Coordinates of all heavy atoms in Angstrom, one line a residue:
M1 N 133.9 136.2 170.2 CA 133.7 134.7 170.2 C 133.7 134.2 168.8 O 133.1 134.7 167.9 CB 132.4 134.4 170.9 CG 132.1 132.9 171.0 SD 130.5 132.6 171.8 CE 129.7 131.8 170.4
I2 N 134.5 133.2 168.5 CA 134.6 132.5 167.2 C 133.5 131.5 167.2 O 133.3 130.6 168.1 CB 135.9 131.9 167.0 CG1 137.0 132.9 167.0 CG2 135.9 131.1 165.7 CD1 138.4 132.4 167.0
M3 N 132.6 131.6 166.1 CA 131.6 130.6 166.0 C 132.1 129.3 165.3 O 132.7 129.4 164.2 CB 130.4 131.2 165.2 CG 129.2 130.3 165.3 SD 127.8 131.0 164.4 CE 127.7 132.7 165.1
T4 N 131.8 128.2 165.8 CA 132.3 126.9 165.2 C 131.4 126.7 164.0 O 130.2 127.2 163.9 CB 132.2 125.8 166.2 OG1 130.8 125.6 166.5 CG2 133.0 126.0 167.4
K5 N 131.9 125.9 163.1 CA 131.1 125.5 161.9 C 129.8 124.8 162.4 O 128.7 125.0 161.8 CB 131.9 124.6 161.0 CG 132.9 125.3 160.2 CD 133.7 124.3 159.3 CE 134.8 125.0 158.7 NZ 135.6 124.0 157.9
E6 N 129.9 124.0 163.4 CA 128.8 123.3 163.9 C 127.7 124.2 164.4 O 126.5 124.1 164.1 CB 129.2 122.3 165.0 CG 128.0 121.5 165.5 CD 128.4 120.4 166.5 OE1 129.6 120.1 166.6 OE2 127.5 119.9 167.2
M7 N 128.1 125.2 165.2 CA 127.1 126.2 165.7 C 126.5 127.0 164.6 O 125.3 127.3 164.6 CB 127.8 127.1 166.8 CG 126.7 128.0 167.5 SD 125.2 127.2 168.1 CE 125.8 126.2 169.5
Q8 N 127.3 127.4 163.6 CA 126.9 128.2 162.5 C 125.8 127.3 161.7 O 124.7 127.8 161.4 CB 128.0 128.5 161.6 CG 127.8 129.6 160.6 CD 129.0 130.0 159.8 OE1 130.1 129.3 159.9 NE2 128.9 131.0 159.0
F9 N 126.1 126.1 161.5 CA 125.2 125.1 160.9 C 123.9 125.0 161.7 O 122.8 125.1 161.1 CB 125.9 123.7 160.9 CG 125.1 122.6 160.3 CD1 125.1 122.3 159.0 CD2 124.2 121.9 161.2 CE1 124.3 121.2 158.5 CE2 123.4 120.9 160.7 CZ 123.5 120.5 159.4
K10 N 124.0 124.9 163.0 CA 122.8 124.7 163.8 C 121.9 126.0 163.8 O 120.7 126.0 163.9 CB 123.1 124.3 165.2 CG 123.6 122.8 165.2 CD 124.0 122.3 166.6 CE 124.4 120.9 166.5 NZ 124.8 120.4 167.9
M11 N 122.6 127.2 163.7 CA 121.9 128.4 163.7 C 121.1 128.6 162.4 O 120.0 129.1 162.4 CB 122.8 129.6 163.9 CG 123.4 129.7 165.3 SD 124.4 131.2 165.6 CE 123.2 132.4 165.6
I12 N 121.7 128.1 161.3 CA 120.9 128.1 160.1 C 119.7 127.1 160.2 O 118.6 127.5 159.8 CB 121.8 127.7 158.9 CG1 122.9 128.7 158.7 CG2 121.0 127.5 157.6 CD1 124.0 128.3 157.7
A13 N 120.0 125.9 160.7 CA 118.9 125.0 160.9 C 117.8 125.5 161.7 O 116.6 125.3 161.5 CB 119.4 123.7 161.4
A14 N 118.1 126.2 162.8 CA 117.1 126.7 163.7 C 116.2 127.7 163.1 O 115.0 127.9 163.6 CB 117.8 127.4 164.9
Q15 N 116.5 128.3 162.0 CA 115.6 129.3 161.3 C 114.4 128.5 160.7 O 113.4 129.1 160.4 CB 116.4 130.0 160.2 CG 117.5 130.9 160.7 CD 118.3 131.4 159.5 OE1 117.8 131.7 158.4 NE2 119.6 131.6 159.7
Y16 N 114.6 127.2 160.5 CA 113.5 126.4 159.9 C 112.7 125.6 160.9 O 111.9 124.8 160.5 CB 114.1 125.5 158.8 CG 114.8 126.3 157.7 CD1 116.1 126.6 157.8 CD2 114.0 126.7 156.6 CE1 116.7 127.4 156.7 CE2 114.6 127.4 155.6 CZ 116.0 127.7 155.7 OH 116.6 128.5 154.6
C17 N 113.0 125.7 162.2 CA 112.3 124.9 163.1 C 112.2 125.6 164.5 O 112.6 126.7 164.6 CB 113.0 123.5 163.3 SG 114.6 123.7 164.0
K18 N 111.5 125.0 165.4 CA 111.3 125.6 166.7 C 112.4 125.2 167.8 O 112.2 125.5 168.9 CB 109.9 125.3 167.3 CG 108.8 125.9 166.4 CD 107.5 125.6 167.0 CE 106.4 126.5 166.4 NZ 105.9 126.0 165.1
V19 N 113.4 124.5 167.3 CA 114.5 124.0 168.3 C 115.6 125.1 168.2 O 116.1 125.4 167.2 CB 115.0 122.6 167.9 CG1 116.1 122.2 168.8 CG2 113.8 121.6 167.9
K20 N 116.0 125.5 169.4 CA 117.2 126.4 169.5 C 118.5 125.7 169.1 O 118.6 124.5 169.4 CB 117.2 127.0 170.9 CG 116.1 127.8 171.3 CD 116.3 128.4 172.7 CE 115.1 129.2 173.1 NZ 114.5 128.9 174.3
P21 N 119.4 126.5 168.5 CA 120.7 125.8 168.1 C 121.4 125.1 169.3 O 121.9 124.0 169.1 CB 121.5 127.0 167.7 CG 120.6 128.1 167.4 CD 119.4 127.9 168.2
E22 N 121.4 125.7 170.5 CA 122.1 125.1 171.6 C 121.4 123.8 172.1 O 122.0 123.0 172.9 CB 122.3 126.1 172.7 CG 121.1 126.7 173.3 CD 120.6 128.0 172.5 OE1 121.1 128.3 171.4 OE2 119.7 128.6 173.1
E23 N 120.1 123.6 171.7 CA 119.4 122.4 172.1 C 119.4 121.3 171.1 O 118.9 120.3 171.3 CB 117.9 122.8 172.5 CG 117.8 123.8 173.7 CD 116.4 124.3 173.9 OE1 115.5 124.0 173.1 OE2 116.2 125.1 174.9
M24 N 119.9 121.7 169.9 CA 120.0 120.7 168.8 C 121.0 119.7 169.1 O 122.1 120.0 169.4 CB 120.3 121.5 167.5 CG 119.5 121.1 166.4 SD 119.7 122.2 165.0 CE 118.4 123.4 165.2
E25 N 120.6 118.4 168.9 CA 121.6 117.3 169.1 C 121.8 116.7 167.7 O 121.0 116.7 166.9 CB 121.0 116.3 170.1 CG 120.8 116.9 171.5 CD 120.2 115.9 172.5 OE1 120.2 114.7 172.2 OE2 119.7 116.4 173.5
N26 N 123.0 116.1 167.6 CA 123.4 115.5 166.3 C 122.5 114.3 166.0 O 122.4 113.9 164.8 CB 124.9 115.1 166.3 CG 125.8 116.3 166.3 OD1 125.3 117.4 166.2 ND2 127.1 116.1 166.4
S27 N 121.9 113.7 166.9 CA 121.0 112.5 166.7 C 119.6 112.9 166.2 O 118.8 112.1 165.7 CB 120.9 111.7 167.9 OG 120.3 112.4 168.9
M28 N 119.3 114.2 166.3 CA 118.0 114.7 165.9 C 117.8 114.6 164.3 O 118.7 114.9 163.6 CB 117.7 116.1 166.3 CG 117.6 116.3 167.8 SD 117.3 118.0 168.2 CE 116.5 117.8 169.7
R29 N 116.6 114.1 164.0 CA 116.3 113.9 162.6 C 115.5 115.2 162.1 O 114.7 115.7 162.8 CB 115.4 112.7 162.4 CG 116.1 111.4 162.8 CD 115.2 110.3 162.9 NE 114.2 110.6 164.0 CZ 113.2 109.8 164.4 NH1 113.0 108.7 163.8 NH2 112.4 110.2 165.4
F30 N 115.8 115.6 160.8 CA 115.3 116.8 160.3 C 113.8 116.8 160.3 O 113.1 117.7 160.7 CB 115.9 117.1 158.9 CG 117.3 117.6 159.0 CD1 118.3 116.7 158.7 CD2 117.6 118.9 159.4 CE1 119.6 117.2 158.8 CE2 118.9 119.3 159.5 CZ 119.9 118.5 159.2
R31 N 113.2 115.8 159.7 CA 111.7 115.7 159.6 C 111.0 115.4 160.9 O 110.1 116.1 161.3 CB 111.3 114.7 158.5 CG 111.8 115.1 157.1 CD 111.2 114.1 156.1 NE 111.9 114.2 154.8 CZ 111.7 115.1 153.9 NH1 110.7 116.0 154.1 NH2 112.4 115.1 152.8
E32 N 111.4 114.3 161.5 CA 110.7 113.8 162.7 C 110.9 114.7 163.9 O 110.0 114.9 164.6 CB 111.1 112.3 163.0 CG 110.7 111.4 161.9 CD 111.7 111.2 160.8 OE1 112.6 112.1 160.6 OE2 111.6 110.2 160.0
D33 N 112.2 115.0 164.2 CA 112.5 115.7 165.4 C 112.4 117.3 165.3 O 112.0 117.9 166.2 CB 113.8 115.3 166.0 CG 113.9 113.8 166.2 OD1 112.9 113.2 166.7 OD2 114.9 113.2 165.9
L34 N 112.8 117.8 164.1 CA 112.9 119.2 163.9 C 111.7 119.7 163.2 O 111.5 120.9 163.1 CB 114.2 119.6 163.2 CG 115.5 119.2 164.0 CD1 116.7 119.6 163.2 CD2 115.5 119.8 165.4
G35 N 110.9 118.8 162.5 CA 109.7 119.3 161.9 C 109.9 119.9 160.5 O 109.1 120.7 160.0
F36 N 111.1 119.7 159.9 CA 111.3 120.2 158.5 C 110.3 119.7 157.5 O 110.1 118.5 157.5 CB 112.7 119.8 158.1 CG 113.8 120.7 158.5 CD1 114.0 121.1 159.8 CD2 114.7 121.3 157.6 CE1 115.0 121.9 160.3 CE2 115.8 122.1 158.0 CZ 115.9 122.4 159.3
S37 N 109.8 120.5 156.6 CA 109.1 120.0 155.5 C 110.1 119.8 154.4 O 111.3 120.2 154.5 CB 108.1 121.1 155.0 OG 108.7 122.2 154.5
S38 N 109.7 119.2 153.3 CA 110.6 119.0 152.2 C 111.1 120.3 151.6 O 112.3 120.5 151.3 CB 109.9 118.3 151.0 OG 109.5 117.0 151.4
L39 N 110.2 121.3 151.6 CA 110.6 122.6 151.1 C 111.6 123.3 152.1 O 112.6 123.9 151.6 CB 109.3 123.5 151.0 CG 109.5 124.8 150.2 CD1 109.9 124.5 148.8 CD2 108.2 125.6 150.2
D40 N 111.3 123.2 153.4 CA 112.3 123.7 154.4 C 113.7 123.1 154.2 O 114.7 123.8 154.2 CB 111.8 123.3 155.8 CG 110.6 124.1 156.3 OD1 110.3 125.2 155.7 OD2 110.0 123.6 157.2
F41 N 113.7 121.8 154.0 CA 115.0 121.1 153.9 C 115.7 121.6 152.6 O 116.9 121.8 152.7 CB 114.7 119.6 153.8 CG 116.0 118.8 154.0 CD1 116.7 118.8 155.2 CD2 116.5 118.0 153.0 CE1 117.9 118.1 155.4 CE2 117.6 117.2 153.1 CZ 118.3 117.3 154.3
M42 N 115.0 121.7 151.5 CA 115.7 122.2 150.3 C 116.2 123.6 150.5 O 117.3 123.9 150.0 CB 114.8 122.1 149.1 CG 114.4 120.6 148.7 SD 115.7 119.4 148.7 CE 116.6 119.9 147.2
A43 N 115.4 124.5 151.1 CA 115.9 125.9 151.3 C 117.1 125.9 152.3 O 118.1 126.6 152.1 CB 114.7 126.7 151.9
F44 N 117.0 125.0 153.3 CA 118.1 124.9 154.2 C 119.4 124.4 153.5 O 120.5 125.0 153.7 CB 117.7 123.8 155.3 CG 118.8 123.4 156.2 CD1 119.4 124.2 157.1 CD2 119.2 122.1 156.2 CE1 120.4 123.8 158.0 CE2 120.2 121.6 157.0 CZ 120.8 122.5 157.9
L45 N 119.3 123.5 152.6 CA 120.5 123.0 151.9 C 121.1 124.1 151.0 O 122.3 124.2 151.0 CB 120.1 121.8 151.0 CG 119.7 120.5 151.8 CD1 119.3 119.4 150.8 CD2 120.8 120.0 152.7
G46 N 120.2 124.9 150.4 CA 120.7 126.0 149.6 C 121.5 127.0 150.4 O 122.5 127.5 150.0
E47 N 120.9 127.3 151.6 CA 121.6 128.2 152.5 C 123.0 127.7 153.0 O 123.9 128.4 153.1 CB 120.7 128.5 153.7 CG 121.1 129.8 154.4 CD 120.0 130.3 155.4 OE1 118.8 130.0 155.2 OE2 120.4 131.0 156.3
L48 N 123.0 126.4 153.2 CA 124.3 125.7 153.6 C 125.3 125.8 152.5 O 126.5 126.1 152.8 CB 124.1 124.2 153.9 CG 123.4 123.9 155.2 CD1 123.2 122.4 155.3 CD2 124.0 124.5 156.4
E49 N 124.9 125.6 151.3 CA 125.8 125.7 150.1 C 126.4 127.1 150.1 O 127.6 127.3 149.9 CB 125.1 125.4 148.8 CG 124.8 124.0 148.6 CD 124.1 123.7 147.3 OE1 123.2 124.5 146.9 OE2 124.4 122.6 146.7
D50 N 125.6 128.1 150.2 CA 126.0 129.5 150.2 C 127.0 129.9 151.3 O 128.0 130.5 151.2 CB 124.8 130.5 150.2 CG 124.0 130.4 148.9 OD1 124.5 129.8 147.9 OD2 122.9 130.9 149.0
T51 N 126.6 129.5 152.5 CA 127.3 129.8 153.7 C 128.7 129.1 153.8 O 129.7 129.7 154.1 CB 126.5 129.4 155.0 OG1 125.3 130.1 155.0 CG2 127.3 129.8 156.3
F52 N 128.7 127.8 153.5 CA 129.9 127.0 153.6 C 130.7 126.9 152.3 O 131.7 126.2 152.2 CB 129.6 125.7 154.2 CG 129.1 125.8 155.7 CD1 127.8 125.7 156.0 CD2 130.0 126.1 156.7 CE1 127.4 125.8 157.3 CE2 129.6 126.2 158.0 CZ 128.3 126.1 158.3
D53 N 130.1 127.5 151.2 CA 130.8 127.4 149.9 C 131.1 126.0 149.4 O 132.2 125.6 149.1 CB 132.1 128.2 149.9 CG 132.6 128.5 148.5 OD1 131.7 128.6 147.6 OD2 133.8 128.6 148.3
V54 N 130.0 125.2 149.5 CA 130.1 123.8 149.0 C 129.0 123.5 148.0 O 128.0 124.3 148.0 CB 130.0 122.8 150.2 CG1 131.2 122.9 151.1 CG2 128.7 122.9 150.9
E55 N 129.1 122.5 147.3 CA 128.0 122.1 146.4 C 127.5 120.7 146.8 O 128.3 119.7 146.8 CB 128.5 122.1 144.9 CG 127.4 122.0 144.0 CD 127.8 122.5 142.6 OE1 128.6 123.4 142.4 OE2 127.2 121.9 141.6
L56 N 126.2 120.7 147.1 CA 125.6 119.4 147.6 C 125.0 118.7 146.4 O 124.3 119.3 145.6 CB 124.5 119.7 148.6 CG 125.0 120.2 150.0 CD1 123.9 120.9 150.7 CD2 125.6 119.1 150.8
E57 N 125.3 117.4 146.3 CA 124.7 116.6 145.3 C 123.3 116.2 145.8 O 123.2 115.7 147.0 CB 125.5 115.4 145.0 CG 126.9 115.7 144.3 CD 126.8 116.3 143.0 OE1 125.8 116.0 142.2 OE2 127.6 117.2 142.7
E58 N 122.3 116.2 145.0 CA 120.9 115.9 145.5 C 120.9 114.5 146.1 O 120.3 114.2 147.1 CB 119.9 116.0 144.4 CG 118.5 115.9 144.9 CD 117.5 116.2 143.8 OE1 117.8 116.8 142.8 OE2 116.3 115.9 144.0
E59 N 121.6 113.6 145.4 CA 121.7 112.2 145.8 C 122.2 112.0 147.3 O 121.7 111.3 148.1 CB 122.6 111.4 144.9 CG 122.5 109.9 145.0 CD 123.3 109.2 143.9 OE1 123.0 109.4 142.7 OE2 124.3 108.5 144.3
D60 N 123.3 112.8 147.5 CA 123.9 112.8 148.9 C 122.9 113.4 149.9 O 122.7 112.9 151.0 CB 125.2 113.5 148.9 CG 126.3 112.8 148.1 OD1 126.2 111.6 148.0 OD2 127.2 113.5 147.7
A61 N 122.4 114.5 149.5 CA 121.5 115.3 150.4 C 120.3 114.5 150.8 O 119.8 114.5 152.0 CB 121.1 116.6 149.8
L62 N 119.7 113.7 149.9 CA 118.5 112.9 150.2 C 118.8 111.8 151.2 O 117.9 111.3 151.8 CB 117.9 112.3 148.9 CG 117.3 113.4 148.0 CD1 116.9 112.8 146.7 CD2 116.2 114.1 148.6
Q63 N 120.0 111.4 151.3 CA 120.4 110.3 152.3 C 120.6 110.8 153.7 O 120.7 110.1 154.6 CB 121.6 109.6 151.8 CG 121.4 108.8 150.5 CD 122.6 108.1 150.0 OE1 123.6 108.0 150.7 NE2 122.5 107.6 148.8
V64 N 120.7 112.1 153.8 CA 120.9 112.8 155.1 C 119.6 112.8 155.9 O 118.6 113.4 155.5 CB 121.5 114.2 155.0 CG1 121.5 114.9 156.3 CG2 122.8 114.2 154.3
L65 N 119.6 112.2 157.1 CA 118.4 112.2 157.9 C 118.6 112.9 159.2 O 117.7 113.5 159.8 CB 118.0 110.7 158.3 CG 117.7 109.8 157.1 CD1 117.5 108.4 157.6 CD2 116.6 110.3 156.3
T66 N 119.8 113.0 159.7 CA 120.1 113.6 161.1 C 121.0 114.8 160.9 O 121.7 114.9 160.0 CB 120.7 112.6 162.1 OG1 122.0 112.3 161.6 CG2 119.9 111.3 162.2
V67 N 121.0 115.6 162.0 CA 121.9 116.7 162.1 C 123.4 116.3 162.0 O 124.1 116.9 161.2 CB 121.6 117.5 163.4 CG1 122.7 118.6 163.6 CG2 120.2 118.1 163.4
G68 N 123.7 115.2 162.7 CA 125.1 114.7 162.7 C 125.5 114.2 161.3 O 126.6 114.5 160.8
E69 N 124.6 113.6 160.5 CA 124.9 113.1 159.2 C 125.2 114.3 158.3 O 126.1 114.3 157.4 CB 123.8 112.3 158.6 CG 123.7 110.9 159.3 CD 122.4 110.1 158.8 OE1 121.6 110.7 158.0 OE2 122.2 109.0 159.3
A70 N 124.4 115.4 158.4 CA 124.5 116.6 157.6 C 125.9 117.2 157.9 O 126.6 117.7 157.0 CB 123.4 117.5 157.9
L71 N 126.2 117.3 159.2 CA 127.5 117.9 159.6 C 128.7 117.1 159.0 O 129.6 117.7 158.5 CB 127.6 117.9 161.1 CG 126.8 119.1 161.8 CD1 126.7 118.8 163.3 CD2 127.5 120.4 161.5
E72 N 128.6 115.8 159.0 CA 129.6 114.9 158.5 C 129.8 115.2 157.0 O 130.9 115.3 156.4 CB 129.4 113.5 158.7 CG 129.6 113.1 160.2 CD 129.1 111.6 160.4 OE1 129.0 110.8 159.5 OE2 128.9 111.3 161.6
L73 N 128.6 115.3 156.3 CA 128.6 115.5 154.8 C 129.3 116.9 154.5 O 130.1 117.0 153.6 CB 127.2 115.5 154.3 CG 127.1 115.8 152.8 CD1 127.9 114.8 151.9 CD2 125.6 115.8 152.4
M74 N 128.9 117.9 155.3 CA 129.5 119.2 155.1 C 131.0 119.2 155.3 O 131.7 119.8 154.5 CB 128.8 120.2 156.0 CG 127.4 120.5 155.8 SD 127.0 121.1 154.2 CE 127.8 122.6 154.3
E75 N 131.4 118.5 156.3 CA 132.9 118.4 156.6 C 133.6 117.8 155.5 O 134.6 118.2 155.0 CB 133.0 117.7 157.9 CG 134.4 117.7 158.5 CD 134.8 119.1 159.0 OE1 133.9 119.8 159.5 OE2 136.0 119.5 158.8
R76 N 133.0 116.7 155.0 CA 133.6 115.9 153.9 C 133.7 116.8 152.6 O 134.7 116.8 151.9 CB 132.8 114.7 153.6 CG 133.6 113.7 152.8 CD 132.9 112.3 152.7 NE 131.6 112.3 152.0 CZ 130.4 112.0 152.5 NH1 130.3 111.7 153.8 NH2 129.3 112.1 151.8
L77 N 132.6 117.5 152.3 CA 132.6 118.4 151.1 C 133.6 119.5 151.2 O 134.3 119.9 150.2 CB 131.2 118.9 150.9 CG 130.2 117.9 150.4 CD1 128.8 118.6 150.4 CD2 130.5 117.4 149.1
Q78 N 133.8 120.1 152.4 CA 134.7 121.1 152.6 C 136.2 120.7 152.4 O 137.0 121.4 151.9 CB 134.5 121.8 153.9 CG 133.3 122.8 153.9 CD 133.2 123.6 155.1 OE1 133.3 123.1 156.2 NE2 133.0 124.9 154.9
Q79 N 136.4 119.4 152.8 CA 137.8 118.9 152.7 C 138.1 118.6 151.3 O 139.2 118.7 150.8 CB 137.9 117.6 153.6 CG 138.0 117.9 155.0 CD 137.9 116.6 155.9 OE1 137.7 115.5 155.4 NE2 138.1 116.8 157.2
E80 N 137.1 118.2 150.5 CA 137.3 117.9 149.1 C 137.5 119.1 148.2 O 138.1 119.1 147.2 CB 136.1 117.1 148.5 CG 136.0 115.7 149.1 CD 134.7 115.0 148.7 OE1 133.9 115.6 148.0 OE2 134.4 113.9 149.2
A81 N 136.9 120.2 148.7 CA 137.0 121.5 147.9 C 138.4 122.1 147.8 O 139.2 121.8 148.6 CB 136.0 122.5 148.5

């Protein structure tokens, strides 16, 4: 089975919260819905950078509130790379 980027992304996110990847919705917010702390979020971003070989600007990352917004940002960064 080929894992989609979205599922790979959600599996990484699931390591930091109690929501299973398959139950994660793009409208879910990292802090409010998934319970990420600031430290969790920063560690998560670092893992995304390593996994997807992108470089996140802190300014962009701080504007990301939902799973869907993060996925869009990752997609955009990968296209620019």
Side-chain angles (χ1 to χ4, degrees):
M1 182 180 116
I2 297 172
M3 190 179 309
T4 64
K5 286 181 186 174
E6 182 174 346
M7 187 48 73
Q8 196 174 9
F9 175 95
K10 289 179 178 181
M11 287 183 75
I12 295 169
Q15 296 173 33
Y16 296 91
C17 65
K18 292 184 169 79
V19 179
K20 294 182 179 128
E22 59 274 11
E23 294 172 359
M24 222 172 268
E25 295 177 20
N26 290 355
S27 61
M28 289 182 157
R29 296 165 298 177
F30 286 101
R31 293 184 197 278
E32 295 86 343
D33 302 320
L34 300 178
F36 273 53
S37 68
S38 298
L39 193 60
D40 288 338
F41 193 65
M42 295 315 286
F44 169 66
L45 293 177
E47 201 168 334
L48 287 180
E49 286 181 323
D50 293 344
T51 303
F52 294 103
D53 195 30
V54 294
E55 193 161 324
L56 292 162
E57 297 296 327
E58 190 174 345
E59 193 176 296
D60 292 335
L62 292 174
Q63 293 177 12
V64 170
L65 301 176
T66 67
V67 171
E69 289 172 1
L71 281 165
E72 286 173 21
L73 176 60
M74 295 300 297
E75 193 67 36
R76 195 169 70 240
L77 289 172
Q78 284 189 312
Q79 287 174 353
E80 291 172 4

